[in-house]
Amino acid sequence: MPYLRLIELGTHNATDVREEVARLGRSPDCTVVPAGGGAQLGVVSAFHAELRHGPNGWQLNDLGSRNGTFLNGRRLAPEALVKAGDVIGLGETGPRFSVAAVADVLEATIPEQPGLAAASRTTERHTPREARAYGVTLLAAATGRLYEARGVRIRLGRGRECEIQPVDPSDTIVSRIHAELTVGASGGLMVRDLDSTNGTFVNDERVTEPIPIRLGDRLMLGQGGPVLIVEGLGTSPQLQAARRQARPGPRTLRAMIGEAIAKAKRRLAAFVALLILVLGAGVYGVYWLLSGEVQQTERERRTAGDSARAETERLRQELAAARATAAPAALVESLRAQLRSAEVRTAELRAALERAQAALSSQLQAGEQRRLAAQTEVQRLRDELAAAEQREPSQATIDSLRRAVIAAEQQTQSLDAKMRAIRATDFGTIAQQSQGAVGLLTVSFGRDYYNGTGFVISADGYMLTNWHVVADSQHARPDTIWVTMADQAQARLAEVISASQDRDIAVLKMRGYQGPYLSAIDWAGTKARQGDPAALIGFPAGSGFARLRSALVRTSMTAGIISRGTDDVIQFDGMTIGGSSGSPLFNASGEVIAIHRAGLPQAPGFALAVPIKYAVPLLPSDLKQRLGLR
């Protein structure tokens, strides 16, 4: 036969339908009558809807109700199939029923076949081999707790090995394994006592032999022990067996529990509302107190801030007055410091000028001595020529003496011109303005050290010197290059940027240099004329002579004239020795016209220099742009 179970939401009343047709409405003739009342029942028609079992299952139809029938929240069309879990509503706001279980055929159990009940009362204790598993649901009458179990043997007791354990292990009324539910020979579910201490009771009758159980039976484990109501019974583990039809109106235990829970919820809600009100009042009180404290603190803070601002303004005025009073004294002290610095610099420049003048005077004295010696030689030659003419010598002797006299006279005239040019040139100013940009080079090749001269041509430390100062045929690059600038004691590292062995020129770069440099340079090579005075500033004889009786390095100046000038070389008739290589050669205007290269061993007093224009191709492109060169 078909089976359908409906549970009314709200009251939890359950109705089991075992007929082909079940009607829902408020008429007493309906199969399912809502248990509620009031507004919900007012929207239900007398015959509101109908559930009819057909070939496809249970089908829901509306019977022309005034407020309509709803299935899962949607108004029902003419008809629809229902399944377990669906919700049927009678009217939009009326009572609702949950479809708890549906079945096309419900197999009968032993209690539903009264004819077999007597035959089932047997002492058979063995479960048939072909017995099917049963599912049972027991409701604890005292606590409302549900116990479910499945199998061909379901044990009840306080032991942990029991499938249903309704009491704690410490309970003294219920035995460890008190009773069991088994499948009898006829296939129905039976209960038997397992020699418990306090006995097993079904509907208040003591079980002395296995007896079948029905839906709604009351199982009591021991006199005064827990009472379990058979709530569900069936052979399908997924489907609860049908229970006896609940009549509309009576209140079931589940409904009572639901009402108690609802009342508890309402009381809890009221308590929570009251608690919220109390907490709100407390919070407001605390806020009121704290706001007063905050206002008082804010007033005190403002007062303290005003006092601090007034004190700050007073201190600022006092500081301004103190500064105004101390300003003249500070200014005087600053001027004194500047004056001392200027005096020191003036002394240094005066010493440099005196050294240059001393060197120039020494050279002038040497030149004057050479001029006087030349004049004496000319006079001697003239006397010899006159004496020879009186002795009537050979014509060859007379011609030789005449040529010697002419050469001596020319040399004397040259010396006179040179002395006049030197005396007319202010070499002291040239030395004073330029010597700070000249540096002493100390170059190492392994364990060997050599000295030379170089001069700075840019503010960031680019220098020019000779190739043979920083390299030779065996060493393309030196190990280290140290540069000590004039009137300084500290040396700086330098490195080779570019070099030309053919022109004997090298470009260096000092690290971290910021100091004086030579800006008046004849890059075009057009300001060196034969016969013009010239001067050489460098470090002849190297560091030994440059640091003589001083920790600072001192430059030396040699003055002379340009005795010969070509496109490749400039000849200078000044005294130079080792250490002067790389020195700048200045003209009378203080412009660098060449780089000293070497002296002439076979002609002391003559030196060779490389025109400065040949250094231009070796300069870095960015430096050439800064110098305005191509």
Side-chain angles (χ1 to χ4, degrees), residues 314-339:
R314 184 184 65 79
L315 293 175
R316 186 181 292 110
Q317 293 176 359
E318 292 181 358
L319 179 60
R323 286 177 176 175
T325 303
L331 180 60
V332 170
E333 186 62 28
S334 175
L335 292 175
R336 286 178 179 174
Q338 295 178 15
L339 179 59

Side-chain angles (χ1 to χ4, degrees), residues 69-89:
T69 302
F70 291 79
L71 180 62
N72 297 326
R74 295 183 179 180
R75 187 156 188 153
L76 186 67
E79 58 186 21
L81 292 174
V82 297
K83 60 183 182 299
D86 288 347
V87 177
I88 300 172

Side-chain angles (χ1 to χ4, degrees), residues 260-504:
I261 293 174
K263 289 181 180 179
K265 288 182 178 179
R266 288 194 295 271
R267 291 177 181 175
L268 180 61
F271 175 75
V272 171
L274 179 61
L275 181 61
I276 291 174
L277 290 176
V278 173
L279 290 176
V283 170
Y284 177 76
V286 172
Y287 172 77
W288 182 77
L289 292 175
L290 291 178
S291 61
E293 293 290 337
V294 170
Q295 292 176 359
Q296 180 65 23
T297 304
E298 182 66 19
R299 287 194 294 269
E300 294 177 356
R301 187 188 64 79
R302 290 178 180 176
T303 303
D306 294 340
S307 300
R309 283 192 292 272
E311 182 66 16
T312 302
E313 184 62 26
R314 184 184 65 79
L315 293 175
R316 186 181 292 110
Q317 293 176 359
E318 292 181 358
L319 179 60
R323 286 177 176 175
T325 303
L331 180 60
V332 170
E333 186 62 28
S334 175
L335 292 175
R336 286 178 179 174
Q338 295 178 15
L339 179 59
R340 286 193 295 269
S341 177
E343 289 176 349
V344 172
R345 183 59 181 167
T346 301
E348 292 177 353
L349 293 176
R350 185 180 295 110
L353 180 60
E354 290 176 354
R355 291 196 303 272
Q357 289 176 346
L360 182 60
S361 298
S362 176
Q363 293 185 30
L364 290 175
Q365 290 177 2
E368 183 65 22
Q369 291 175 0
R370 290 176 60 189
R371 186 184 67 81
L372 293 176
Q375 289 179 351
T376 303
E377 182 66 18
V378 169
Q379 186 61 40
R380 185 184 65 79
L381 291 174
R382 286 175 179 173
D383 293 341
E384 288 184 359
L385 178 59
E389 289 177 348
Q390 292 177 1
R391 292 194 300 268
E392 296 181 358
S394 63
Q395 188 62 37
T397 301
I398 294 174
D399 292 340
S400 176
L401 289 173
R402 285 177 178 173
R403 286 194 297 271
V405 170
I406 293 172
E409 288 177 348
Q410 290 177 351
Q411 184 178 4
T412 301
Q413 292 174 0
S414 175
L415 288 173
D416 288 340
K418 176 180 176 181
M419 295 300 295
R420 287 194 301 271
I422 291 174
R423 288 190 177 95
T425 303
D426 189 2
F427 287 109
T429 301
I430 295 175
Q432 181 179 352
Q433 294 177 349
S434 305
Q435 67 176 355
V438 181
L440 172 66
L441 274 61
T442 302
V443 184
S444 67
F445 297 97
R447 297 183 179 180
D448 298 327
Y449 291 85
Y450 301 93
N451 290 124
T453 304
F455 55 97
V456 184
I457 60 173
S458 68
D460 53 351
Y462 280 98
M463 301 184 69
L464 293 178
T465 187
N466 290 133
W467 170 84
H468 73 265
V469 173
V470 296
D472 56 24
S473 58
Q474 297 180 354
H475 303 88
R477 285 286 192 274
D479 294 334
T480 57
I481 303 175
W482 292 94
V483 181
T484 307
M485 301 304 295
D487 297 326
Q488 301 290 329
Q490 185 178 2
R492 290 184 175 86
L493 274 173
E495 57 185 350
V496 178
I497 302 300
S498 58
S500 172
Q501 183 177 358
D502 295 337
R503 294 296 181 182
D504 199 13

Side-chain angles (χ1 to χ4, degrees), residues 529-531 561-566 569-573 608:
R529 296 184 305 171
Q530 186 177 14
I561 62 172
I562 300 174
S563 57
R564 185 169 67 95
T566 66
V569 68
I570 294 177
Q571 181 177 312
F572 168 68
D573 63 346
L608 301 179

Side-chain angles (χ1 to χ4, degrees), residues 590-604:
E591 298 172 304
V592 180
I593 57 175
I595 305 171
H596 174 62
R597 179 177 183 182
L600 295 176
Q602 66 275 20

Side-chain angles (χ1 to χ4, degrees), residues 20 25 246:
E20 297 286 342

